[in-house]
Amino acid sequence: MGDKWSVLVVMLLGDGPRRFSDLKRAIEGISQRMLTLTLRGLERDGLVARTVFPTNPPRVDYSLTSLGHTLIEPVRALGAWADENRFEIQRAREDFDRRTTAELAPASSRSAVGEGA
Amino acid sequence: MGDKWSVLVVMLLGDGPRRFSDLKRAIEGISQRMLTLTLRGLERDGLVARTVFPTNPPRVDYSLTSLGHTLIEPVRALGAWADENRFEIQRAREDFDRRTTAELAPASSRSAVGEGA
DNA sequence: CAGCATCCTAATAGATACTG
DNA sequence: CAGTATCTATTAGGATGCTG
């Protein structure tokens, strides 16, 4: 998928299997519906395995498949990048927003101007 | 951002600067509106630089910033993963969909059943 | 060429209530 | 506990027309 919930779930399951509500608590901010949809999507793609224990109350474990495990490394690399650069990105955004909020105080256009090639 | 258009743009700009319509042609399937929004977003995050040549007709180059360049490697790793595993994922999806389309011919539930832990 | 503005639709997220 | 069902609000995205 590529969306943020899927990324978080894959990262969490990288440390081992987890139960539904366990994931729900761990993620914080995700609705139970989105967690269901996310897990269903990951399961569909063969990244996550779903194991039902027919106990009462019911228990369902989610774990990464072997394919899912191969995803961790590249995803982690990207996560690390995001983490390392989040302040620089934040700063860039603030700069950009300040520059473009000055849209009403002209005398300067929005972009760098290049020399004719 | 993380969306697919941004990923594609970053990959393309990894090979060097490109002009707007150049990108539009290269991406194929992107609308001019989405390309504008995507570039604006990347510019805002400090990943892409926009250079205007005040010629006639106007010319605008987009290129990766140094921050943008550091993104290429992790993004490429993820892209490589997706490429390597796309058939397996496709197969997993077909399996999953076949299994869940049989939702109307029961006598088997949707998931693996675990032994009681 | 490189866009911005506007309109409109379809997909998505999120909250809430209910079930085996 | 682990969901499903339903409804609403927000968003993404495409199409079109206009400008410097």
Side-chain angles (χ1 to χ4, degrees):
Chain A
M1 285 192 136
D3 60 295
K4 71 171 185 170
W5 297 134
S6 299
V7 169
L8 284 172
V9 167
V10 168
M11 296 289 281
L12 281 171
L13 293 183
D15 298 331
R18 294 254 204 166
R19 302 179 55 175
F20 186 89
S21 348
D22 195 11
L23 286 169
K24 175 132 170 39
R25 271 187 299 273
I27 292 184
E28 176 144 22
I30 195 171
S31 65
Q32 148 257 53
R33 180 176 171 274
M34 283 317 295
L35 182 55
T36 300
L37 289 177
T38 300
L39 288 168
R40 214 57 84 236
L42 292 171
E43 188 192 358
R44 183 167 111 100
D45 289 350
L47 301 170
V48 158
R50 181 171 182 273
T51 311
V52 178
F53 298 90
T55 56
N56 192 306
R59 169 181 166 182
V60 180
D61 271 17
Y62 290 93
S63 57
L64 289 186
T65 60
S66 56
L67 179 60
H69 268 104
T70 68
L71 222 198
I72 294 182
E73 193 185 305
V75 160
R76 181 126 50 193
L78 207 61
W81 182 93
D83 204 53
E84 284 164 25
N85 298 101
R86 96 195 116 133
F87 293 117
E88 187 161 351
I89 290 173
Q90 201 173 39
R91 206 173 51 72
R93 283 186 184 171
E94 284 160 10
D95 284 9
F96 184 91
D97 291 348
R98 229 180 326 91
R99 264 182 287 128
T100 53
T101 305
E103 69 205 351
L104 303 166
S108 82
S109 63
R110 227 196 67 261
S111 299
V113 173
E115 295 297 305
Chain B
M1 286 194 136
D3 60 296
K4 70 171 186 170
W5 297 134
S6 298
V7 169
L8 285 171
V9 167
V10 167
M11 297 288 281
L12 281 172
L13 293 183
D15 299 331
R18 295 254 204 164
R19 303 180 53 176
F20 187 88
S21 351
D22 195 11
L23 285 169
K24 176 133 170 40
R25 271 186 299 273
I27 292 185
E28 175 142 21
I30 196 171
S31 63
Q32 159 252 52
R33 181 174 171 276
M34 283 318 293
L35 182 54
T36 300
L37 289 177
T38 299
L39 288 169
R40 214 55 82 237
L42 292 171
E43 188 193 358
R44 182 167 112 100
D45 289 351
L47 301 170
V48 159
R50 183 170 181 274
T51 310
V52 178
F53 299 90
T55 55
N56 192 307
R59 169 180 166 183
V60 181
D61 272 17
Y62 291 93
S63 57
L64 290 187
T65 61
S66 56
L67 180 60
H69 268 104
T70 68
L71 222 197
I72 294 182
E73 193 184 305
V75 159
R76 181 125 50 192
L78 207 61
W81 183 93
D83 203 54
E84 285 165 24
N85 298 100
R86 94 194 117 133
F87 293 117
E88 187 162 351
I89 290 173
Q90 200 171 39
R91 206 172 51 70
R93 283 186 183 171
E94 284 160 9
D95 284 9
F96 184 92
D97 291 348
R98 231 181 323 92
R99 266 182 286 126
T100 53
T101 305
E103 71 206 349
L104 303 167
S108 82
S109 63
R110 228 195 68 259
S111 299
V113 174
E115 295 297 305

